[in-house]
Amino acid sequence: MEKQQHRLAFGTLVITSKLPDTMVHFTAEERAAVVSLWAKVNVELVGGEVLGRLLVVYPWTQRFFDNFGNLSSESAIMGNPKVKAHGKKVLTSFGNAVKHMDDLKDTFAELSELHCDKMHVDPENFKLLGNMILIVLATHFSKEFTPQVQAAWQKLTTAVANALAHRYH
Amino acid sequence: MLSAQERAHVAQVWDLIAGHEAAFGAELLLRLFTVYPSTKIYFKHLGVCPDEAQLLTHGQRVLQAVGVAVQHTDHLRAALSPLADLHAQVLRVDPANFPLLIQCFHVMLASHLQGEFTVQMQAAWDKFLTEVAMVLTEKYR
């Protein structure tokens, strides 16, 4: 947390803490739920499933992947090597969010600009992808994915979605 | 409109829930209230912290209605008409909340079915519940 010095009238020095207004506050329990689960995630496997499910369940999202080859059926999508590779890339980036939960807007600033200026992705897709992450995590972690764990992860995916949308103009 | 295969997937998922509407309904509501606390405003009559008995009772009601929808995927409007009236005239749940409930439903199914919650099942169930939500809010204006 940045500290600022303000000299008020009569030479009185006041030091205040500058709270970044972009900070999302995670409780200790929420952090623990996120970090402990993430440690057990197979990023390659889960990444492919997450992106695959997005493209199948919400077929209009395929509009961003015209050059990915065969997306003509559910099995084609889930087995598509480009989908798997890109899913891994996306989820690896998400791992960065887990490491920087206090600083998401800065962490994703460059990616935000990229998604806006180069890839022209509707930010609504970030929310949809976040929902897919939760569903796939639930299939893997089953009863461990309690309502509280779900809530912590929902908070993180929402915050990441907001961070990715932050630099849109 | 659901295809025959989609209807089969919906029925397959319902096989898991049938007979256990209360337990699944309670878990669904608990997930909804925990993950999306603003949804609790529609359940003020259950108190600030609904207890297990209340969640079971109300959860059963919600899931039994879903069961009705599962039996009538070909004529949802007719089957859900009284519920649509209730939502339009009395409950007036903002339509934005239905996707939240649907997401919690998917997470719940995923945690119970694990690998068996295939992408086709998810797609069919999502399409089905979205249609149900549309019918329930259709008479709003």
Side-chain angles (χ1 to χ4, degrees):
Chain A
M1 221 179 284
E2 233 182 282
K3 294 245 190 281
Q4 282 185 335
Q5 289 189 344
H6 305 273
R7 198 159 285 281
L8 302 182
F10 309 111
T12 313
L13 183 66
V14 171
I15 299 170
T16 57
S17 293
K18 185 182 160 213
L19 251 183
D21 62 348
T22 56
M23 212 165 113
V24 175
H25 177 69
F26 291 91
T27 66
E29 291 80 15
E30 286 166 342
R31 268 173 224 281
V34 166
V35 169
S36 65
L37 212 78
W38 185 254
K40 302 184 247 183
V41 168
N42 178 332
V43 170
E44 181 164 2
L45 183 69
V46 171
E49 278 179 43
V50 166
L51 187 61
R53 282 187 187 245
L54 183 77
L55 297 174
V56 170
V57 178
Y58 305 115
W60 56 91
T61 60
Q62 293 170 28
R63 72 192 301 284
F64 302 108
F65 303 99
D66 276 338
N67 62 338
F68 268 36
N70 188 2
L71 299 178
S72 62
S73 70
E74 170 270 328
S75 53
I77 292 170
M78 298 310 284
N80 185 311
K82 283 192 174 177
V83 170
K84 290 186 186 183
H86 195 73
K88 178 182 177 186
K89 193 171 173 184
V90 168
L91 210 69
T92 303
S93 173
F94 208 87
N96 221 13
V98 175
K99 286 199 206 97
H100 297 99
M101 287 168 73
D102 288 330
D103 191 26
L104 292 172
K105 288 215 163 81
D106 283 340
T107 303
F108 286 96
E110 221 177 283
L111 267 178
S112 178
E113 283 173 10
L114 193 74
H115 279 78
C116 171
D117 299 329
K118 294 279 181 321
M119 298 189 272
H120 312 293
V121 175
D122 182 342
E124 180 64 21
N125 291 278
F126 307 143
K127 293 186 208 159
L128 294 181
L129 190 86
N131 286 353
M132 290 299 123
I133 290 175
L134 264 72
I135 291 168
V136 174
L137 288 180
T139 62
H140 283 271
F141 294 103
S142 190
K143 296 293 144 67
E144 205 182 327
F145 207 69
T146 63
Q148 288 75 13
V149 171
Q150 181 185 349
W153 273 90
Q154 184 60 60
K155 195 165 170 180
L156 180 64
T157 57
T158 300
V160 172
N162 289 338
L164 278 172
H166 191 63
R167 292 285 177 110
Y168 271 60
H169 57 100
Chain B
M1 286 306 300
L2 297 179
S3 69
Q5 199 176 62
E6 285 165 343
R7 258 178 277 133
H9 285 307
V10 168
Q12 215 181 337
V13 170
W14 190 251
D15 270 344
L16 167 79
I17 298 175
H20 310 284
E21 286 87 345
F24 277 100
E27 184 184 335
L28 176 65
L29 290 179
L30 183 62
R31 285 188 185 273
L32 183 69
F33 296 157
T34 308
V35 181
Y36 306 106
S38 62
T39 57
K40 289 195 283 185
I41 68 119
Y42 294 105
F43 299 89
K44 277 286 175 264
H45 55 287
L46 298 184
V48 172
C49 240
D51 65 29
E52 201 182 331
Q54 289 172 306
L55 290 176
L56 285 165
T57 305
H58 201 86
Q60 183 174 44
R61 206 172 296 155
V62 173
L63 273 264
Q64 278 174 345
V66 173
V68 168
V70 171
Q71 302 310 322
H72 298 94
T73 54
D74 283 345
H75 27 269
L76 281 178
R77 269 192 195 95
L80 298 178
S81 183
L83 264 181
D85 289 335
L86 185 71
H87 280 76
Q89 290 152 26
V90 180
L91 302 177
R92 292 172 291 184
V93 174
D94 192 298
N97 289 280
F98 289 94
L100 307 182
L101 183 72
I102 292 172
Q103 168 69 5
C104 287
F105 216 127
H106 289 312
V107 169
M108 180 174 75
L109 291 176
S111 81
H112 282 264
L113 288 166
Q114 295 173 255
E116 279 175 38
F117 191 56
T118 62
V119 59
Q120 298 112 312
M121 260 194 197
Q122 182 187 338
W125 197 253
D126 192 67
K127 193 171 164 182
F128 165 66
L129 286 179
T130 302
E131 272 183 31
V132 170
M134 244 170 23
V135 167
L136 288 179
T137 56
E138 221 169 29
K139 301 187 193 183
Y140 273 28
R141 51 180 173 176

